[in-house]
Amino acid sequence: MKKNQTVNLIGTVTLVTLFAKLLGIVRESLQARAFGTQAAADLYTTANNATIYLFTTVAYALCVAAVPILTPRLRRDRQEGFAAASNLISVTVLLGALVSGVWIAATFTPWMDTMWDGTAQETAQLAGYMRIMALTLPVILLTYLLVALFQSLEHFILQGSMSIPYNLALIAFLALFAGRLGVGGYVAAVALAWLLQLAMTFPYAHRERYRYRPTLNLRADYVGSFLKTALVTVLTTSIFLFCYLQDSAMTASLEGSPVSAFYYADKLFTPLTTTLIYSISTVLFPKFSHQYASGGKEAYLGYIWNVLRTTLVLVLPVSALLAAFGTPIVQVLFQGGNFGADSTAATGAIFTIYALSMAGFCALDLLSKAYYTMERTLEPLLVNAGILGCNWVLNRLLGPRWGGAGLAAATAVSITLGGAVMACLLLGRVKGLRLGPLGKSPPCGRGSVRRHRPCPHGAGGQCAAGGEVRGPGRGGHGGVRAGAGMSAPGGPAAVSQEEKEAQRITEVFSWTEKLPPGGTARWIWSSVWPSARCSSSIAAPATLPTTAWGPTAGWPPPSTAASAAGRCRPSCCAAAR
């Protein structure tokens, strides 16, 4: 995939996902106005958390586990890939049907009394809601396995767009029938609307000429790996969900802290957080494997750090903004009808504190995928298990004292600490890497830019061991390499894989070019441009470059290539440091 196609694809996925998430927020807003945070809404929230919310978490983990199994088989032989997809669909849908039956049977047991501390009539209503929602499990699993198949065929937009008709249908229900049919009718509508998400996969199946052929081969070499990876991924990709479930479960025992306040805070926080992070990781995650295979471990970790800190540069200001205006945002979106000022205050306080965990959420998602690329799942598993344990302890310390706000603070602290711990485990021992502040340079190791000294042969050119050639630090955008991945000065300007990948990230975050000159702009620019790294003699430009060079222009910029070719000789570059 060409670099301009990568950037365009990330932008398209982001826009489609953002539109779907905005529809979801509109749906939640109408739901809040229709049902508020009264007991009936709490019953729906509890039933949804124990069924559909949990089912979609498991289904997404199965989707992540299926992609690396299907992709190589589809590239070798499409029919082999289709056969593997059909087998995985058969296995998961069959297991889903069994689990759905067990879930429905459990609603007839005394277990229901432990889920709800209310009247017998309310407990019976909760059991009825859960039975209806449990029927969606096979449909949800089938939908996400088809998403995995078509992602393996590079249809990345499907995952972001499939919820659009689902949200539109529920918005129509809430606008027209919520007052007449109530919460019970809405539960049935939510279950039926999942068929619309499944229907979104049909055009892709027709385009790729995929036909499901029933087959069940539990002895296939990939089935065991698929289930094992999915089991680990359930925890590592859904850590915020499990913390939220811990919070909402404990809040039922706290006076004056309604469960629905956590529900609406989560429904607002999750889409805002995941839209950017998941859009980037959906497209770049397949590239992690190529970078790891081609650049070596140290260069790969430098690349991961560059991706992480550039994303954090975007996430941290958004986190601060949402935390500062959390309650007004909730008031504008949700307040009205049965959702009064008290509901706004409770939900706004929880959402404000949740917003402070965005950086940790971002680090956990990206670094977990970095571990998956190296086929290491133990570290993410242990870190996320530690997060759950920490959240459980802090809930019991902070919840009785500060109510819902204390439970939310426990989650924010646990997730942030977890992201920092995982960063230290993965990147802390890499030579030359400094984890703080964000503006520090990534590792100067194999495959990355090394320190260099002034070239004696020309005005400001820089030379480094291994044949690396640099132009002047301020006039020519930094410099270019000539050695690993580049011809000698004066030859054609080839580019190393690391620089190509870094340029793609630079293009994705090209908004930095619009920042005013100064320290902040230079810091952000140096964090996304590899040529400004690992150098004591080359700094970021005094002003950000105004010349348009992007997906359609050459790399390196002409002025940089010219300065490098005209100011260094190979004999200079033979000197070591």
Side-chain angles (χ1 to χ4, degrees):
M1 185 181 297
K2 295 180 180 179
K3 58 189 178 184
N4 56 333
Q5 292 176 330
T6 301
V7 176
N8 291 338
L9 183 57
I10 291 176
T12 302
V13 171
T14 301
L15 290 176
V16 171
T17 304
L18 179 61
F19 178 68
K21 299 294 186 182
L22 290 176
L23 286 178
I25 292 175
V26 172
R27 170 174 57 84
E28 299 298 341
S29 176
L30 292 176
Q31 179 182 327
R33 293 170 184 270
F35 307 131
T37 57
Q38 55 188 322
D42 287 347
L43 288 172
Y44 166 79
T45 301
T46 303
N48 183 78
N49 289 345
T51 53
I52 291 180
Y53 205 166
L54 192 59
F55 296 162
T56 52
T57 299
V58 175
Y60 176 73
L62 293 170
C63 175
V64 173
V67 169
I69 292 174
L70 298 177
T71 300
R73 288 170 172 80
L74 288 168
R75 289 181 178 178
R76 285 197 305 264
D77 179 25
R78 176 161 291 209
Q79 294 307 314
E80 178 188 357
F82 285 167
S86 296
N87 189 40
L88 291 179
I89 288 174
S90 299
V91 171
T92 54
V93 171
L94 179 59
L95 290 175
L98 293 175
V99 172
S100 179
V102 171
W103 221 262
I104 293 174
T107 62
F108 294 95
T109 68
W111 172 59
M112 294 302 303
D113 294 330
T114 65
M115 292 193 63
W116 183 259
D117 185 15
T119 65
Q121 182 181 2
E122 290 174 344
T123 303
Q125 283 183 319
L126 176 63
Y129 294 165
M130 288 181 61
R131 289 168 198 148
I132 295 173
M133 291 182 169
L135 296 174
T136 63
L137 178 55
V139 177
I140 293 172
L141 292 176
L142 175 58
T143 301
Y144 273 90
L145 262 293
L146 290 172
V147 169
L149 171 61
F150 299 127
Q151 273 192 359
S152 301
L153 294 169
E154 298 189 352
H155 294 295
F156 300 112
I157 297 177
L158 173 61
Q159 184 173 343
S161 64
M162 69 180 186
S163 64
I164 292 177
Y166 171 87
N167 285 323
L168 289 174
L170 293 180
I171 287 172
F173 177 90
L174 290 168
L176 301 175
F177 304 109
R180 192 186 325 166
L181 300 179
V183 176
Y186 186 62
V187 169
V190 169
L192 290 174
W194 264 98
L195 295 174
L196 296 177
Q197 299 211 48
L198 175 61
M200 287 291 290
T201 65
F202 295 165
Y204 293 90
H206 177 73
R207 185 183 309 171
E208 297 294 343
R209 299 182 180 180
Y210 169 71
R211 299 292 182 271
Y212 168 72
R213 302 184 185 279
T215 178
L216 185 62
N217 182 12
L218 296 177
R219 296 183 178 181
D221 58 352
Y222 51 82
V223 172
S225 174
F226 167 70
L227 295 177
K228 177 182 176 182
T229 304
L231 184 62
V232 175
T233 308
V234 165
L235 179 59
T236 57
T237 61
S238 307
I239 186 60
F240 181 81
L241 166 63
F242 290 118
C243 288
Y244 156 74
L245 292 177
Q246 283 184 341
D247 297 346
S248 60
M250 186 173 179
T251 195
S253 63
L254 299 177
E255 184 178 355
S257 181
V259 177
S260 295
F262 277 90
Y263 174 84
Y264 293 120
D266 169 71
K267 292 302 181 184
L268 182 58
F269 170 79
T270 300
L272 293 175
T273 302
T274 57
T275 296
L276 177 61
I277 296 173
Y278 285 178
S279 297
I280 295 172
S281 63
T282 296
V283 178
L284 291 183
F285 182 32
K287 302 178 185 302
F288 284 9
S289 298
H290 177 74
Q291 181 71 21
Y292 181 60
S294 62
K297 181 178 179 180
E298 193 167 341
Y300 168 71
L301 294 180
Y303 169 74
I304 293 299
W305 169 244
N306 199 40
V307 172
L308 173 61
R309 66 177 183 169
T310 304
T311 308
L312 288 176
V313 167
L314 293 177
V315 168
L316 287 172
V318 175
S319 175
L321 186 65
L322 294 179
F325 299 99
T327 300
I329 292 173
V330 172
Q331 183 178 12
V332 170
L333 292 176
F334 293 145
Q335 185 168 326
N338 289 321
F339 199 96
D342 292 341
S343 299
T344 297
T347 304
I350 295 168
F351 172 73
T352 295
I353 298 172
Y354 274 168
L356 298 176
S357 68
M358 288 183 69
F361 187 97
C362 168
L364 288 171
D365 180 73
L366 291 175
L367 296 178
S368 293
K369 288 180 170 64
Y371 271 115
Y372 298 154
T373 300
M374 297 187 292
E375 299 183 356
R376 292 165 57 183
T377 58
L378 180 60
E379 291 89 343
L381 182 63
L382 293 178
V383 169
N384 285 280
I387 291 173
L388 289 179
C390 180
N391 189 59
W392 187 88
V393 172
L394 291 177
N395 273 349
R396 276 141 188 83
L397 293 176
L398 303 180
R401 178 174 299 181
W402 292 314
L407 298 176
T411 293
V413 170
S414 300
I415 288 181
T416 303
L417 288 177
V421 169
M422 190 175 292
C424 290
L425 289 175
L426 181 63
L427 305 170
R429 296 184 179 180
V430 179
K431 183 180 179 181
L433 178 64
R434 305 174 191 176
L435 294 180
L438 289 177
K440 297 297 184 181
S441 58
C444 298
R446 182 176 51 190
S448 59
V449 183
R450 289 166 288 192
R451 293 188 181 275
H452 46 271
R453 63 183 187 179
C455 173
H457 297 286
Q462 304 290 339
C463 299
E468 293 176 314
V469 181
R470 294 285 175 179
R474 296 187 178 272
H477 303 285
V480 296
R481 298 177 60 188
M486 178 170 286
S487 60
V495 189
S496 70
Q497 181 65 28
E498 183 194 5
E499 287 173 328
K500 289 181 180 178
E501 294 293 340
Q503 185 197 5
R504 290 170 184 163
I505 299 170
T506 304
E507 292 161 352
V508 173
F509 304 116
S510 58
W511 59 271
T512 56
E513 296 185 14
K514 301 178 182 179
L515 292 173
T520 302
R522 289 195 297 272
W523 167 58
I524 296 176
W525 185 256
S526 66
S527 71
V528 298
W529 199 21
S531 297
R533 303 178 303 180
C534 300
S535 173
S536 59
S537 56
I538 293 183
T543 57
L544 296 178
T546 56
T547 303
W549 58 274
T552 58
W555 173 272
S559 59
T560 306
S563 64
R567 294 175 182 170
C568 268
R569 293 204 301 266
S571 59
C572 154
C573 298
R577 297 184 186 266

